[in-house]
Amino acid sequence: MPRFSFVIFCLMFFAVSFGVAAMAALIPSIAFYFGVSKEAAMPLTWLYMLPYGAFALIWAPLTRVVKIKRIVLFTSFAFFLASLAFSLSANLGQAFIFRFFMGCVGCSFVPLVLIAIGKSVSAKKKAKYIGIFFAFSYVSSFISVFLSGFLHWRVIYLIPAILSLLVFFLVLKHLDDFDFRKTHFKISYLQTLKNKKALSFFMVIMLGSLIYHSLQQRLGVYLSQTYFLKQVVISSIFTVSTLSAIVFEFSGGMLCSRFGNIRVSRLGFILMSIFALFLIFVQDYQKIFFLIIFWGSGWALTHVGLSSHLTHLPDK
């Protein structure tokens, strides 16, 4: 894979990831801005994640008939429009709609890049590439979560809009085509579901994602209601989590190459479980600053392990 094309992929994922982790921390502030309860603003999390999961199934098969470059051109510009519209929302209803569209197009980048890495990077280097790629996501999340304690939420979501527009022009001028239309490349979800090993693997991915996002997206509200924390403190806790995730995402690729993808994923699940188990017993919120390290590092190891294993699956 050409180095500059990989850099563009990383910048693209940086832009998409900028407002994902920040949303969990910003729910209390957005709810206050629109004059609604925190529970009423909670759909801002799942209205992004629901299409993010569902529409991801659409973008991958398109690579059989459309060059990846053309798909990315469309989705990067569409993400720019959706992010800009969300940052300018006049009411919560509009925010729900534009957040939904952000998820519809934002979900395209991960499957497209995984396909590009899987088809154009040697087996020994795949885990390294994936670790670096997802680490940029965590760096982006770290910056956005940190800034969410100081900047207005509209500014937080204006930043990915500007970045995605920049990505659009970089893709237009410099990204390789990544044309896999003529290669022996087949995507059949029905056939995949008939394979017991593949089905079991995807169930693990679904379970891990369900555990992470179910807790992650409500954590900001939980901290606010349980400990009555201010926005800056909530954002600081999320910042520690994201910082630990960055460290283990970068190193996770090397760990996968040495110890195996599945072993690294298992360790990640254990660390996430430690956080979830002990969170309900914590009475002093200051201890969460330490405990949250298990959550961020656990998710990073699980993420890079499962993603690396996914790229090693056969073309069929």
Side-chain angles (χ1 to χ4, degrees):
M1 176 183 292
R3 181 173 298 179
F4 195 63
S5 289
F6 182 65
V7 171
I8 294 175
F9 281 147
C10 291
L11 180 59
M12 176 175 62
F13 201 32
F14 184 96
V16 172
S17 303
F18 195 86
V20 177
M23 179 55 70
L26 283 169
I27 286 292
S29 295
I30 295 177
F32 178 78
Y33 180 85
F34 286 120
V36 299
S37 66
K38 297 168 186 175
E39 289 74 14
M42 277 299 298
L44 286 171
T45 58
W46 62 261
L47 278 173
Y48 179 87
M49 298 311 303
L50 182 63
Y52 192 93
F55 278 77
L57 300 174
I58 298 175
W59 299 110
L62 285 179
T63 58
R64 294 182 300 175
V65 293
V66 183
K67 297 177 182 178
I68 285 182
K69 178 176 181 177
R70 292 185 178 180
I71 301 174
V72 173
L73 279 172
F74 171 78
T75 54
S76 59
F77 190 74
F79 190 81
F80 155 69
L81 294 176
S83 299
L84 179 63
F86 177 76
S87 69
L88 300 175
S89 299
N91 53 61
L92 190 60
Q94 289 185 10
F96 286 160
I97 295 172
F98 297 132
R99 186 70 174 156
F100 176 84
F101 283 115
M102 286 175 67
C104 291
V105 292
C107 68
S108 65
F109 302 115
V110 171
L112 294 178
V113 174
L114 289 181
I115 289 173
I117 291 176
K119 301 293 290 183
S120 60
V121 176
S122 64
K124 293 183 179 180
K125 294 182 178 180
K126 285 180 182 178
K128 178 182 177 181
Y129 271 73
I130 291 172
I132 295 174
F133 174 70
F134 282 114
F136 270 85
S137 170
Y138 285 104
V139 171
S140 175
S141 297
F142 170 77
I143 295 174
S144 67
V145 169
F146 176 77
L147 292 178
S148 69
F150 308 96
L151 297 180
H152 195 277
W153 69 268
R154 292 188 185 275
V155 178
I156 294 295
Y157 286 94
L158 184 61
I159 293 173
I162 296 173
L163 288 175
S164 56
L165 184 62
L166 172 62
V167 167
F168 170 80
F169 288 111
L170 287 176
V171 171
L172 184 65
K173 294 291 185 180
H174 301 289
L175 187 71
D176 277 27
D177 286 336
F178 291 101
D179 187 0
F180 302 123
R181 294 173 299 174
K182 296 180 180 180
T183 59
H184 183 63
F185 182 42
K186 181 180 180 181
I187 298 177
S188 174
Y189 294 126
L190 182 60
Q191 193 67 29
T192 301
L193 293 177
K194 293 180 180 179
N195 187 303
K196 292 184 178 180
K197 289 185 178 180
L199 181 60
S200 298
F201 177 68
F202 291 134
M203 289 296 292
V204 171
I205 293 178
M206 185 178 70
L207 178 62
S209 181
L210 178 64
I211 293 173
Y212 176 77
H213 291 293
S214 295
L215 197 154
Q216 175 78 5
Q217 301 305 326
R218 292 193 62 86
L219 188 57
V221 174
Y222 174 81
L223 296 174
S224 176
Q225 293 179 339
T226 304
Y227 304 103
F228 305 100
L229 303 180
K230 296 181 179 180
Q231 180 65 60
V232 65
V233 180
I234 296 174
S235 296
S236 298
I237 292 174
F238 276 84
T239 299
V240 173
S241 173
T242 309
L243 184 60
S244 63
I246 292 172
V247 174
F248 282 90
E249 192 73 41
F250 270 114
S251 59
M254 294 181 289
L255 292 175
C256 287
S257 298
R258 183 171 182 179
F259 300 105
N261 302 325
I262 301 302
R263 287 184 179 180
V264 171
S265 299
R266 287 173 181 167
L267 177 60
F269 275 118
I270 292 173
L271 294 177
M272 291 171 63
S273 300
I274 291 174
F275 171 78
L277 179 63
F278 284 93
L279 179 63
I280 59 177
F281 298 108
V282 174
Q283 296 181 348
D284 182 2
Y285 80 88
Q286 294 180 352
K287 295 179 180 179
I288 298 179
F289 280 95
F290 169 75
L291 192 61
I292 198 72
I293 295 175
F294 291 89
W295 182 249
S297 58
W299 173 244
L301 292 175
T302 302
H303 197 256
V304 70
L306 295 178
S307 299
S308 298
H309 190 72
L310 187 64
T311 61
H312 286 80
L313 294 180
D315 288 343
K316 294 182 180 179

